[in-house]
Amino acid sequence: SNAFCSLWWVPEYLAFSDSAQWTFEHPKILYAWDGACVWIPCRYRILNKHLLDNLTVYHNYEYDSSTKNYNGTVLYKNLKIREFPARQGRVQFLGNGRYNCTLLINPVKVNDSGQLGLRMTSGENKWMEAIGLNVSETAPPPHIELPPDIRELRDVTVTCSLNFACFEYQVHLQWSLEERAVTSTSLSTETVSTQSTLTFQPQWTHHGKNLTCQLWDPTEQQLLSEETVWLDVKHAPKLKIQVSPREATVTEGESVTMTCQVVSSNPRHQKVAWLRDGVLLVGEETPTLTLPEVTRRMSGQYQCKAHNDVGSEESEAVDLQVHYAPEPSRVQIVSSPTKEGNEVELTCISLANPPPTNYTWYYNGLEMPGKTDRTFQIPEVLLRHAGEYSCLAENDLGPGQVGQEADLEVQYPPKEVITVIQSPTPIREGDSVILSCTYNSSNPRVTRYEWDHLGFQDQLSPAGLTIRKVAWDTGPVKCAACNQWCLWSPPVDLDVQYAPKDVSVQVTPHSEIRSGRPVLLQCDFLSSRPTDVRFFWKKNGIFLEEGKKLSFDAISPEDAGTYHCLVNNSIGQTSSKAWALQVLYAPRSLHVSISPKDGVVEGKKAVLTCESDANPPTSHYAWFDWNNQDLRHYDQTLRLDPVTLQHSGAYWCQGTNRLGRGQSPPTTLTVYYSSASIIRRVALGVGFCLAIFLLAIWGVKLQRSWKRIQRQQGLQESSSGQNFFVRNVKARRIPQAEGPHSLGCYHPVMEDAVSYAALRFPLGETDVPRPGDAGTSETRGLSSDRDDTVTYSVVQKRHVGDYENVTPEVLEDEGIHYSEMVHFGFGERPLAQEGVEYVTLKQ
């Protein structure tokens, strides 16, 4: 209910108050019952914002015009509004002096019904506000609100409400349906109520039933009041079938009666129809269905159906059982044809009512003892299980007949699959091989073949395989014959014959090989077929020996070279890769070579090279002269540019690698005079010879007197001044190891040595040539008128050891070289002895 303001137009109010100054909000009338309480929610406002001065609550008040005041029962009075007492009897003011005017009357009595007046003053402003109060002797019944249309199985919400609420007196609304309800209370200046909402899904059985809402006092546990309504639930017809005979079980030829009863329908139902197994029976639209002579085809589920404005409904089904003997039976085989080894189930199918209780099974027309069930299994079917199966069914009405037979077909993969080698054996690597795939039997027939062989190249036929060039490592080959399934043959080994494979040389030690240490070479190979093999070794392409191992007790540099290991069997021979054997050794066979070879002329360039044999190659060189003096030159070549006579002498070198050191024997460097030096020295020699010639003429007479003595004693025994020698500063000999060298015509100062020549003069007028000299080159062709000249002849050193017994122990010795000066003049010359060129001067 909406709040309203009650205005009393009285003279006093008009004189002392303006109605526009006051506004109120509260319910128009409040309801309660004896013993309950009244909670009066109230709000006010004074527009001039004055505070409330005093408040008086009247019951059934009247205005007295003579006294210009209100008369009535005063329920509450307070002249000092700011000092409100908590309670005055049954009335309590719960408001304040600013905006709240709420009151509580607890408990409330029946005689409290009527009009309450709130007399309120604020300064010169006065106001009387009226509030209605309705108090009954007992609690009023709650009010139930139903929706206008209630249908079966559709959610419905109903409300039970009461125009009462008080915080000091609790009440509870309870429904007759055991459904969950929601209760709410509203206590405001607009609405004072207690409400319960119930939501449920009505069934057709709720139609015509009562729905009650009860008001309970939960404190006293007593019913205060209640309200009941009648439920009108709209629903489709509810049907039920009665059948005779009651069990709905008959034998063929008997009669059956079925009656369709309408249990409930809102609104009223219309015509009834009948269905069997969900199919409408045409022409049967009466509540009663009669079947005078039933047959087995009339068996089934029967229902009746009716409809009204809400919808149509079908009754529960009645199963009409018509008993009859079994029909001719047939055998059903699950998964036929089936694979050998699978499980097979056979089922005897025969329509009968009641169902058959006993079965007889036949295999190829013969009864199978022990088989009396409707089904039987063959856990693992074999070929012998294939054939014709039939059965006979029997129930309480008698046996049926043997119907159609079933054929059990057993399929299986090809049997006894074999891979056959068609090519002649043994098979060698590279041969062409033909294989075929055979089998014994198959169901269904073989449609394809498969081969397990990597790299096959061709198929001659569906059952054949050709390997054009068979590899040496071809593994076993197998084939599969396939229908729906494949069966593989056992693998066949081709046993390919081949020469040894992967021949290699294994060397011990594996690290570097040094001269003088033991070395072992071993020949290995991966495989060979046949396995009987022989081993051979080659060095630099030349056969060495036979055997798997090649050993060196002490390896030498001469053993270095390229080695091959060869392994052969009856098929062929295989060689290993070339293995280069390197022997490491210190420098050896060192020698010094001189360029140019034919000798060096002073002023030119001479190159001495230290040549050595070493592995690894010589890395460091050192040079020494004839005094073993280190020349502090460390290259392989020693360059003398320009060369001088002082460079003549023996040189040797030393070579070093990481394994050791070696040195060469000495090699002599010979430096020849240049043309200018020869001219100077020849001029000096000619002058010297002329001086000697003059002295010779002067002493010719003396010479002749000595001639006889000289002839007797010979050149070697002469110790007089007729024979003489000239000693040069030093002379070096070429070592014997160097072999013979022709020194030619040397000048006296060449190489700081003395070279020798026989100084002979022409025959005088009185000299008579000896018979032994007639054929010599020295005297042939000389005429008597020839002038006196000096003739030189070349003296060559002997190839054997040193003259006499003077042999130097070291390379550099104080060599004494001799020269014979033969007198010229008169008389016969002594015969020179062969092999004696010089005499020895001993100190």
Side-chain angles (χ1 to χ4, degrees):
S1 63
N2 297 327
F4 70 99
C5 295
S6 176
L7 303 177
W8 297 87
W9 302 97
V10 291
E12 180 184 18
Y13 178 77
L14 295 174
F16 301 102
S17 176
D18 184 2
S19 62
Q21 300 289 327
W22 298 83
T23 59
F24 284 86
E25 294 179 9
H26 57 80
K28 179 179 180 181
I29 186 169
L30 292 105
Y31 297 89
W33 57 90
D34 188 63
C37 65
V38 175
W39 192 289
I40 305 173
C42 176
R43 294 178 68 85
Y44 72 96
R45 187 174 58 173
I46 304 175
L47 296 182
N48 57 11
K49 298 183 179 180
H50 290 179
L51 297 177
L52 184 65
D53 291 332
N54 57 66
L55 168 68
T56 303
V57 178
Y58 292 93
H59 178 251
N60 293 331
Y61 60 89
E62 290 181 357
Y63 181 73
D64 188 353
S65 59
S66 62
T67 62
K68 296 182 180 180
N69 204 346
Y70 288 94
N71 296 324
T73 304
V74 177
L75 300 179
Y76 182 90
K77 185 174 184 180
N78 193 334
L79 300 178
K80 296 182 179 180
I81 199 65
R82 297 170 183 80
E83 299 178 2
F84 290 112
R87 178 185 293 270
Q88 290 183 6
R90 296 181 298 116
V91 179
Q92 182 179 359
F93 180 68
L94 303 178
N96 53 40
R98 190 176 296 274
Y99 59 88
N100 193 347
C101 54
T102 301
L103 293 172
L104 172 64
I105 304 175
N106 186 22
V108 69
K109 303 298 182 180
V110 175
N111 55 12
D112 290 333
S113 295
Q115 193 90 343
L116 295 179
L118 276 68
R119 178 65 172 174
M120 306 174 72
T121 64
S122 175
E124 297 297 328
N125 297 322
K126 299 179 181 180
W127 186 261
M128 174 65 79
E129 180 69 18
I131 300 176
L133 186 63
N134 187 346
V135 181
S136 59
E137 292 184 1
T138 60
H143 175 65
I144 298 175
E145 292 184 6
L146 292 175
D149 185 25
I150 301 177
R151 290 182 178 266
E152 178 186 15
L153 302 180
R154 291 186 182 178
D155 287 344
V156 170
T157 299
V158 295
T159 303
C160 177
S161 60
L162 179 69
N163 291 334
F164 170 82
C166 182
F167 292 127
E168 300 295 324
Y169 190 89
Q170 298 293 327
V171 293
H172 176 67
L173 297 174
Q174 180 176 313
W175 295 90
S176 59
L177 285 178
E178 294 183 358
E179 302 288 343
R180 179 173 296 181
V182 178
T183 301
S184 62
T185 300
S186 177
L187 186 58
S188 66
T189 58
E190 295 180 357
T191 305
V192 175
S193 67
T194 300
Q195 181 174 291
S196 178
T197 302
L198 175 68
T199 300
F200 69 103
Q201 193 177 66
Q203 306 293 325
W204 70 270
T205 54
H206 291 149
H207 176 61
K209 300 291 182 67
N210 290 332
L211 177 63
T212 301
C213 177
Q214 298 177 334
L215 176 64
W216 278 79
D217 181 353
T219 304
E220 300 295 333
Q221 286 293 313
Q222 63 179 354
L223 178 64
L224 299 178
S225 64
E226 63 180 7
E227 175 75 10
T228 300
V229 294
W230 180 76
L231 293 178
D232 183 14
V233 180
K234 300 290 192 295
H235 59 275
K238 306 300 175 184
L239 309 175
K240 181 180 178 182
I241 297 179
Q242 287 185 341
V243 62
S244 177
R246 187 164 238 167
E247 295 80 9
T249 301
V250 294
T251 305
E252 274 187 309
E254 296 181 351
S255 64
V256 174
T257 301
M258 299 182 192
T259 302
C260 184
Q261 296 181 343
V262 179
V263 178
S264 176
S265 177
N266 184 23
R268 182 177 177 79
H269 72 282
Q270 299 177 12
K271 61 182 179 180
V272 176
W274 290 89
L275 300 92
R276 181 177 67 205
D277 296 332
V279 179
L280 185 66
L281 296 177
V282 181
E284 302 292 343
E285 296 181 354
T286 60
T288 301
L289 175 64
T290 301
L291 304 175
E293 293 185 1
V294 297
T295 63
R296 67 187 65 181
R297 290 186 295 275
M298 294 180 180
S299 297
Q301 302 286 326
Y302 284 82
Q303 295 172 288
C304 62
K305 180 179 180 180
H307 70 277
N308 58 11
D309 294 341
V310 175
S312 63
E313 192 82 19
E314 297 174 357
S315 68
E316 292 185 0
V318 173
D319 186 12
L320 177 62
Q321 296 287 333
V322 179
H323 287 184
Y324 55 93
E327 295 181 355
S329 58
R330 63 183 179 88
V331 175
Q332 182 184 45
I333 301 177
V334 179
S335 65
S336 178
T338 185
K339 183 184 178 182
E340 182 183 17
N342 288 351
E343 180 182 0
V344 174
E345 181 179 83
L346 293 87
T347 304
C348 184
I349 298 176
S350 176
L351 296 177
N353 197 10
T357 56
N358 187 43
Y359 295 89
T360 303
W361 286 90
Y362 302 92
Y363 171 61
N364 291 334
L366 300 177
E367 183 178 347
M368 301 175 65
K371 303 294 183 183
T372 58
D373 294 335
R374 182 171 178 260
T375 64
F376 77 91
Q377 286 90 14
I378 304 175
E380 192 172 337
V381 69
L382 303 175
L383 290 178
R384 59 184 177 85
H385 293 139
E388 301 289 338
Y389 288 85
S390 58
C391 64
L392 177 66
E394 182 179 355
N395 66 359
D396 296 339
L397 300 180
Q401 296 179 354
V402 175
Q404 182 179 3
E405 296 178 334
D407 182 22
L408 175 60
E409 180 183 356
V410 179
Q411 296 181 341
Y412 54 92
K415 294 184 178 296
E416 300 180 17
V417 180
I418 300 173
T419 299
V420 180
I421 300 175
Q422 303 289 346
S423 304
T425 56
I427 300 171
R428 297 192 176 194
E429 180 183 7
D431 288 353
S432 179
V433 180
I434 300 176
L435 302 100
S436 62
C437 193
T438 63
Y439 65 95
N440 186 358
S441 62
S442 171
N443 184 26
R445 65 183 184 85
V446 172
T447 56
R448 61 188 176 88
Y449 297 85
E450 294 182 3
W451 292 90
D452 184 4
H453 168 64
L454 295 177
F456 71 91
Q457 300 177 4
D458 193 12
Q459 287 185 338
L460 293 178
S461 65
L465 171 69
T466 299
I467 304 175
R468 297 296 184 191
K469 290 183 179 181
V470 67
W472 66 274
D473 56 350
T474 300
V477 181
K478 60 181 180 180
C479 71
C482 305
N483 43 28
Q484 296 179 10
W485 311 276
C486 292
L487 182 68
W488 288 92
S489 70
V492 174
D493 192 354
L494 299 182
D495 192 21
V496 179
Q497 306 288 302
Y498 54 89
K501 297 294 181 182
D502 294 345
V503 178
S504 61
V505 176
Q506 306 297 328
V507 182
T508 305
H510 302 294
S511 59
E512 62 181 21
I513 298 172
R514 297 191 179 186
S515 177
R517 297 185 180 179
V519 176
L520 175 64
L521 278 67
Q522 180 171 312
C523 189
D524 290 333
F525 65 96
L526 177 64
S527 62
S528 172
R529 188 173 294 172
T531 58
D532 185 16
V533 297
R534 296 178 65 187
F535 299 88
F536 300 95
W537 290 93
K538 283 185 178 182
K539 176 185 176 184
N540 298 331
I542 301 174
F543 171 76
L544 278 181
E545 60 181 68
E546 181 178 354
K548 185 173 183 178
K549 297 180 179 179
L550 181 62
S551 61
F552 299 90
D553 295 334
I555 198 76
S556 67
E558 287 71 26
D559 294 324
T562 301
Y563 286 82
H564 288 81
C565 168
L566 297 94
V567 184
N568 68 9
N569 59 10
S570 59
I571 302 302
Q573 177 173 280
T574 305
S575 173
S576 69
K577 292 183 179 179
W579 189 83
L581 175 62
Q582 293 188 357
V583 180
L584 304 181
Y585 52 92
R588 63 171 191 169
S589 302
L590 277 78
H591 69 276
V592 177
S593 64
I594 302 175
S595 176
K597 295 181 179 180
D598 298 335
V600 184
V601 179
E602 63 174 337
K604 300 296 184 179
K605 179 175 69 174
V607 179
L608 284 71
T609 303
C610 186
E611 298 180 353
S612 63
D613 180 18
N615 190 14
T618 303
S619 57
H620 296 85
Y621 294 89
W623 287 90
F624 302 87
D625 63 6
W626 53 90
N627 290 325
N628 291 330
Q629 182 179 357
D630 190 349
L631 300 180
R632 299 189 180 279
H633 187 79
Y634 306 107
D635 290 339
Q636 186 178 4
T637 59
L638 176 62
R639 299 178 181 272
L640 304 176
D641 187 13
V643 69
T644 64
L645 295 177
Q646 285 74 21
H647 290 144
S648 297
Y651 292 85
W652 59 281
C653 64
Q654 190 178 79
T656 306
N657 64 3
R658 62 184 177 85
L659 300 181
R661 177 182 298 171
Q663 69 181 37
S664 70
T667 300
T668 300
L669 171 64
T670 302
V671 181
Y672 293 95
Y673 288 115
S674 63
S675 300
S677 295
I678 292 175
I679 293 173
R680 288 194 304 268
R681 302 222 174 205
V682 168
L684 181 60
V686 169
F688 179 75
C689 290
L690 288 177
I692 293 299
F693 179 74
L694 294 176
L695 290 176
I697 296 174
W698 176 77
V700 67
K701 290 182 179 182
L702 181 62
Q703 184 179 12
R704 287 180 179 177
S705 64
W706 291 347
K707 189 175 184 180
R708 184 174 294 175
I709 299 172
Q710 189 178 23
R711 186 177 296 118
Q712 293 174 355
Q713 293 179 352
L715 294 175
Q716 295 180 2
E717 297 178 358
S718 178
S719 60
S720 64
Q722 294 176 357
N723 292 330
F724 62 92
F725 66 88
V726 179
R727 186 181 183 274
N728 210 336
V729 178
K730 273 190 179 181
R732 293 178 175 81
R733 296 200 191 129
I734 300 175
Q736 295 179 8
E738 296 294 325
H741 292 278
S742 176
L743 299 181
C745 182
Y746 292 168
H747 292 284
V749 295
M750 189 168 188
E751 285 191 302
D752 292 337
V754 177
S755 301
Y756 314 96
L759 183 60
R760 298 180 187 273
F761 294 90
L763 295 176
E765 296 178 356
T766 60
D767 291 337
V768 179
R770 292 180 296 145
D773 298 333
T776 64
S777 61
E778 298 174 351
T779 59
R780 188 177 299 125
L782 293 177
S783 61
S784 59
D785 55 353
R786 186 174 180 182
D787 59 350
D788 292 339
T789 58
V790 179
T791 302
Y792 300 91
S793 63
V794 177
V795 180
Q796 294 185 344
K797 189 179 290 187
R798 295 173 57 88
H799 295 177
V800 297
D802 207 350
Y803 301 103
E804 295 293 341
N805 58 350
V806 182
T807 303
E809 296 180 357
V810 295
L811 294 175
E812 296 189 12
D813 61 344
E814 293 288 339
I816 300 175
H817 291 245
Y818 309 94
S819 177
E820 178 187 6
M821 178 174 261
V822 182
H823 270 291
F824 57 90
F826 306 97
E828 187 178 275
R829 292 184 182 178
L831 181 63
Q833 299 179 10
E834 293 181 1
V836 179
E837 297 290 338
Y838 313 100
V839 294
T840 305
L841 174 62
K842 298 183 179 179
Q843 295 180 351

